[in-house]
Amino acid sequence: SASNLVVGASSAYGIGLHIRGNMAANGVYGGTYDATTVPGVSATGINISGNGVRTTTINGGIAIDRALTATAYEANATAVHIGANTIIGNTPTATNASLIVRGALNAVSISESASAGAYGVVVDAGASLPRITNDGSLIAQLSGEQGTAAAIIDNSNTLQTITNYGALRIRLDTQGLAG
């Protein structure tokens, strides 16, 4: 029988998901080739979600110690996506954060489309992520004349605290692809 997924905290650090190396997610490049328009493919660095019936729980929270970058061309780039039916516990750190960024969290979308965007952390309705602590850099960058960028989007209404000791930025390059 199917059951809920629970990831326990590691005994060494007490963190459920500990990213200690560099990670990259690259969307497949879109564009126009031989008069044919090919849509871009979104890139997501970390995507954690339940399946609508079952939940996913990360006890001990998430810590990102190095660089996590999501890059997409003519599509969305999301560094961390916490989907519905997901519960992220707190890390055993002084800040007791659910997500702690010690390195670099980057989302970069290069697009001329209004439907594309760059998003650092997205928390969906039905998820739980109470605290974010940024000791490093959390950057959402959109290069293009249209589209959206956001460092943190909380659609769950569970995010209670954002503590920032580092760089929390949105970069917009309106020069677009030619710039």
Side-chain angles (χ1 to χ4, degrees):
S1 71
S3 60
N4 297 327
L5 174 64
V6 177
V7 176
S10 72
S11 59
Y13 297 99
I15 296 170
L17 177 58
H18 196 174
I19 308 298
R20 297 175 61 197
N22 294 326
M23 288 180 59
N26 296 302
V28 178
Y29 285 72
T32 303
Y33 306 98
D34 296 326
T36 302
T37 301
V38 178
V41 175
S42 295
T44 303
I46 296 175
N47 183 21
I48 303 170
S49 63
N51 68 0
V53 177
R54 306 289 183 209
T55 60
T56 299
T57 302
I58 308 292
N59 289 325
I62 301 168
I64 300 169
D65 289 350
R66 300 289 301 260
L68 187 154
T69 302
T71 305
Y73 181 79
E74 298 294 349
N76 289 333
T78 305
V80 176
H81 175 243
I82 307 299
N85 298 316
T86 303
I87 301 163
I88 306 298
N90 291 329
T91 59
T93 62
T95 61
N96 201 33
S98 307
L99 170 63
I100 185 164
V101 178
R102 297 180 182 124
L105 194 65
N106 301 301
V108 179
S109 179
I110 304 163
S111 179
E112 296 298 323
S113 169
S115 63
Y119 310 103
V121 178
V122 176
V123 185
D124 287 350
S128 176
L129 181 78
R131 293 179 182 85
I132 296 175
T133 297
N134 179 35
D135 287 330
S137 64
L138 198 161
I139 299 170
Q141 178 175 335
L142 178 71
S143 294
E145 294 181 9
Q146 300 181 66
T148 58
I152 300 170
I153 297 174
D154 176 29
N155 293 315
S156 70
N157 293 319
T158 63
L159 185 56
Q160 301 167 2
T161 306
I162 299 171
T163 304
N164 183 41
Y165 299 110
L168 183 61
R169 296 189 180 123
I170 299 170
R171 292 183 182 160
L172 301 173
D173 174 11
T174 58
Q175 297 300 311
L177 304 177

